[in-house]
Amino acid sequence: MKLIINHMRIALTTIGCKLNQSEITNLKQNLLKAGYIIVPKNQKHDLHIVNACSITHGAEQITRQKIREAKRKAPQSQTFVMGCLNKTIPEINHAFKNSTEILKYVKKNYAKAQYPVPNTQCPKTRALIKIQSGCDFGCTYCIIYKFRGKSKSVTLKKIITQIKNLEKQSYKEIVLVGQNILQYKYQNYNFTQLVKAILQQTNILRIRFSSLDPRLIDGDFLALLKNPHICPHLHLSLQSGSNKILKSMNRNYTTKQYLNIVKQAQKINSLTSITTDIIVGFPGETDKDFQNTLNFVKKIEFLKIHIFPYSERQGTKAANFKNQLFPQIKKERFNQLNALAKKQKAEFCKKIKGETLPVLFEQKRNGYWRGLTSNYMQVKKKSSKNLKNQIVNLKI
Ligand code: SF4
């Protein structure tokens, strides 16, 4: 029997990565399409759906905190959770594997609104497209592949249809997201072939990639950078500049291979920017290993480095490694690398100064239009014109 709640209201929360963001956006669109009302969390609601993240101990704590806080404010509301959930808590009424299961459950058990639901979505400029989830690898610090299982890819037809719909809504840029997007495999399509199919079958103006795994990059993939619709920006996950630590992380590439990828990419398009993630203070990381990371980073000139002090994650192999480091050492290494990252960003920006780059403007704040260059630099421009969702060639 369906639960009839007049004007049933659903609040959505997402924590963590771009994959989670894209899943919740998709779910939101499907719920709206099915006739349910979506409200902000701080408004009265009957159901709260949370896309959880447990990648680190901290992320898991935030997930639990958000669930408890929402339950305190709306004790009558049901709480459903999907995504990466390590263990359940009493405040959770149901845990689901994914958004498809939730949607099915909601449609079956909750009556939709008795009147047409206005589409309250503001027009946006950039959309996240989930192309796969899960991962076939087993990095020793990672728990995610345990939650999400082996890599599962979205069908080509579904991806193309989604992009065409976004084009109709005037989106200019899509970001292909997943746990490890280079593991995309659907029938005869690998990731590069998927991107070529998107280029052939849609008119989307900009395609950006989320995090890329260096062990899966080949010449065919890099050749995509020749296409003007592909953003010359690689978020190439490094994790460490020490081959010894990379091995212990089970990353299966070396710094030499990484450097080669960067050189080839920048040879194809000299404006290609590189951003990355680095873990500092991994178990067994000596001063010399950390110095190797600093030296290696100096060879690349990153636009941005996301630095993560290693945090022990129960259930991973690395949590049982000997030689865990003291928090103070991790903090010192974080600070050193952070100082270098800031310097590198400034150097990269200096190098780009004077170049003309296409900028997709997203919003106006404090009198300035703000947007992203194709190679992922944030820029601002004073203009009385409405630049929202416009791609403008701008001298940096
Ligand atoms: S590549 Fe490694 S870090 Fe990334 S999801 Fe797979 S196991 Fe986790």
Side-chain angles (χ1 to χ4, degrees), residues 176 195-196 199 205-209 221-234 269 374:
L176 302 179
V195 176
K196 284 183 182 166
L199 288 166
L205 290 175
R206 300 214 307 202
I207 303 174
R208 195 181 291 285
F209 310 139
F221 166 83
L222 289 171
L224 290 173
L225 291 170
K226 290 180 191 157
N227 190 300
H229 296 291
I230 302 294
C231 292
H233 161 226
L234 304 182
N269 185 339
S374 51

Side-chain angles (χ1 to χ4, degrees), residues 135 137-139 141-142 144-145 179-180 183 213 215 251:
C135 177
F137 297 149
C139 301
Y141 55 83
C142 178
I144 293 306
Y145 70 100
Q179 231 91 53
N180 192 324
Q183 283 179 22
D213 189 332
R215 76 193 105 177
R251 292 290 292 171

Side-chain angles (χ1 to χ4, degrees), residues 267-388:
K267 200 170 156 197
I268 292 169
N269 185 339
S270 61
L271 298 174
T272 304
S273 66
I274 312 291
T275 55
T276 198
D277 303 316
I278 296 180
I279 298 172
V280 291
F282 191 73
E285 184 189 72
T286 60
D287 283 345
K288 190 171 164 238
D289 297 322
F290 179 63
Q291 195 53 50
N292 285 342
T293 294
L294 292 176
N295 293 342
F296 185 71
V297 164
K298 284 178 195 157
K299 292 184 189 169
I300 306 282
E301 210 173 60
F302 288 103
L303 169 60
K304 171 118 186 110
I305 306 176
H306 299 267
I307 311 165
F308 301 90
Y310 171 76
S311 85
E312 223 172 289
R313 194 74 194 76
Q314 286 315 313
T316 61
K317 281 191 184 157
N320 297 324
F321 287 176
K322 292 189 186 110
N323 306 326
Q324 301 281 339
L325 303 190
F326 290 114
Q328 189 54 31
I329 298 179
K330 294 179 198 171
K331 200 173 160 201
E332 275 163 22
R333 290 182 184 170
F334 175 94
N335 290 341
Q336 268 192 69
L337 185 56
N338 200 26
L340 178 59
K342 281 186 184 156
K343 208 170 141 218
Q344 289 216 316
K345 184 176 182 177
E347 276 163 13
F348 185 85
C349 294
K350 212 161 110 191
K351 190 174 92 179
I352 297 294
K353 204 172 160 190
E355 297 281 352
T356 300
L357 287 168
V359 177
L360 173 56
F361 285 100
E362 300 188 329
Q363 56 170 313
K364 195 174 190 180
R365 238 185 315 135
N366 304 331
Y368 284 93
W369 280 99
R370 289 160 200 263
L372 271 186
T373 61
S374 51
N375 66 353
Y376 210 57
M377 292 168 69
Q378 288 173 344
V379 294
K380 55 181 188 176
K381 176 183 165 63
K382 222 174 188 145
S383 173
S384 54
K385 287 188 202 152
N386 183 1
L387 296 182
K388 185 166 174 81

